[in-house]
Amino acid sequence: MKVNNIPTRTIRPAADTRAVDIIDQTALPHAYRTLRLASLEDAAHAIRSMQVRGAPLIGVTAAYGLALALMKKDDEATLTSAVATLAATRPTAVNLHWALQRMQARLASLATGARATAAWQEAAAITEEDAEQCRRIGEHGLALLRPLAEKRGRLDLMTHCNAGWLATVDYGTALSPIYAAFDAGIDVRVWVSETRPRNQGLLTAWELKQHGVPHTLIADNAAGLLLARGEVDAVIVGADRIAANGDVANKVGTYLKALAAREANVPFYVAAPRSTIDFACPSGDAIPIEERHGDEVRVVHGVDGSGAAGQVRQLPAEEAVANPAFDVTPARFVSALITERGTCPASDAGLRNLYPEAGHA
Ligand code: MRU
């Protein structure tokens, strides 16, 4: 996708050296800056601190993190300890573990000295696949959305968090069909949910603006009203982990939107690539939910009147705060899953039908 009209990706191998450049998402939407990751520690920190975020991008960054570790020391012990370091960064997005497992499978049998180059190549392959899968999600999602648009002559969608290209390598998951609809000339508008406490909705608004897609930011609490009033044709979100039975873990607040959508008879779609589906996880009950620091709720970040970045404490440090970062939407509230292979019911049978090769847990 484009930033200031220049095609770009969220993660790119540096031209001159074995390192990767990322967009520092903690600076957005107020400032656009890139950062260079040159070591395992840089990659782990970027994931932990959410300089990179979004399930697919976390996985890709972890793959490069392994490559960076092996460039420093190419032996089995380094591989094992780097996998452990990266696996501990964030618990909910299964793409992280998927990428680490894939890297390990590729590298395990290689001789010492041969792993670093292979790791770099495998990380690049994962990167390309993610971009292509997200592009396909856009095509399949568009096929689902087009009839809704034809019925009304326009398309009003609602999304939550940021499941756009910033959360992937390119295109995004939930936003990919939106970009595809916009590019196909459909009059599409997007209700963007703010997504407290980290406000990933601001990232969504930023990237939609870069592409020229009309959108309106709403406080999370406004979603129910808009759905009940008939101002939304469909809700479309991403996922951090889809269990084998179709239950979906995504950014906290997703579940409330699914409930409101069901009550309002509005379709609720979840878009995600294969790397987000955890066939070894029987149901949403088994998905680990990340609990993040309470200061994310107590302290608000932004810029002041002169544009300088700063923060405002809205609650004293001793005030008790709970900050679960994700929630689980039961499969029965999901109208369809949109993947790179097509759409399917959010169910064991639906997923098996799309991915017959996936082993039974
Ligand atoms: O905590 P984050 O910002 O990493 O959470 C991101 C989300 O929950 C996204 O909706 C999800 O990863 C889908 S990304 C294509």
Side-chain angles (χ1 to χ4, degrees):
M1 305 301 286
K2 290 182 179 166
V3 178
N4 301 327
N5 273 327
I6 300 167
T8 191
R9 283 181 165 185
T10 52
I11 190 161
R12 313 174 279 277
D16 43 344
T17 173
R18 286 268 161 126
V20 284
D21 292 333
I22 58 157
I23 298 169
D24 179 2
Q25 300 196 24
T26 60
L28 288 172
H30 308 295
Y32 175 74
R33 62 172 182 242
T34 58
L35 284 176
R36 182 153 292 183
L37 309 182
S39 66
L40 166 71
E41 293 71 28
D42 288 350
H45 172 74
I47 297 170
R48 225 181 283 115
S49 66
M50 295 175 66
Q51 289 169 336
V52 292
R53 41 146 302 283
L57 183 57
I58 290 171
V60 172
T61 307
Y64 276 116
L66 271 192
L68 291 167
L70 288 166
M71 268 167 28
K72 209 163 176 186
K73 195 160 185 227
D74 185 342
D75 62 17
E76 206 177 323
T78 303
L79 177 61
T80 308
S81 74
V83 166
T85 299
L86 290 161
T89 49
R90 295 195 70 190
T92 303
V94 77
N95 310 59
L96 172 67
H97 307 284
W98 174 89
L100 292 174
Q101 276 163 21
R102 174 163 159 176
M103 293 290 285
Q104 271 181 303
R106 171 76 183 88
L107 304 173
S109 60
L110 298 182
T112 292
R115 291 189 189 93
T117 302
W120 203 257
Q121 287 165 351
E122 193 67 7
I126 291 174
T127 305
E128 293 308 317
E129 281 172 33
D130 187 72
E132 176 56 15
Q133 290 181 347
C134 287
R135 193 188 66 73
R136 287 186 191 187
I137 286 172
E139 287 180 354
H140 294 302
L142 175 58
L144 207 56
L145 295 177
R146 206 184 271 284
L148 295 176
E150 280 165 2
K151 214 160 77 187
R152 283 197 55 236
R154 57 183 269 183
L155 197 53
D156 289 283
L157 302 172
M158 179 181 283
T159 192
H160 187 60
C161 194
N162 172 262
W165 71 268
L166 285 171
T168 64
V169 171
D170 209 348
Y171 300 98
T173 55
L175 295 198
S176 187
I178 294 176
Y179 289 126
F182 179 79
D183 291 347
I186 292 173
D187 180 8
V188 58
R189 297 146 203 232
V190 189
W191 296 109
V192 178
S193 185
E194 186 183 24
T195 318
R196 279 279 292 149
R198 292 284 303 211
N199 294 333
Q200 287 92 334
L202 306 187
L203 303 178
T204 295
W206 180 83
E207 61 161 277
L208 288 174
K209 189 173 178 185
Q210 292 288 331
H211 201 75
V213 181
H215 59 278
T216 306
L217 195 86
I218 56 165
D220 298 320
N221 292 335
L225 176 76
L226 295 171
L227 283 157
R229 272 187 186 162
E231 297 189 38
V232 184
D233 296 313
V235 179
I236 180 161
V237 298
D240 289 84
R241 193 182 297 226
I242 300 175
N245 70 345
D247 290 349
V248 171
N250 192 48
K251 181 53 57 191
V252 70
T254 301
Y255 175 45
L256 282 175
K257 284 189 173 57
L259 291 174
R262 168 57 57 90
E263 172 68 13
N265 216 9
V266 170
F268 182 89
Y269 298 124
V270 176
R274 166 68 185 89
S275 53
T276 305
I277 304 165
D278 186 355
F279 283 98
C281 180
S283 75
D285 294 343
I287 298 177
I289 300 295
E290 179 178 12
E291 186 71 36
R292 291 188 62 87
H293 199 284
D295 276 355
E296 290 186 348
V297 178
R298 296 187 192 99
V299 179
V300 179
H301 295 260
V303 288
D304 65 16
S306 66
Q311 55 185 50
V312 173
R313 175 170 287 281
Q314 56 174 3
L315 265 182
E318 66 275 13
E319 200 67 48
V321 156
N323 187 16
F326 300 93
D327 61 24
V328 175
T329 299
R332 64 182 179 280
F333 293 111
V334 178
S335 309
L337 299 172
I338 308 169
T339 82
E340 75 284 356
R341 289 202 185 167
T343 55
C344 73
S347 65
D348 184 77
L351 285 167
R352 297 275 166 208
N353 196 31
L354 273 192
Y355 298 97
E357 74 284 7
H360 279 269

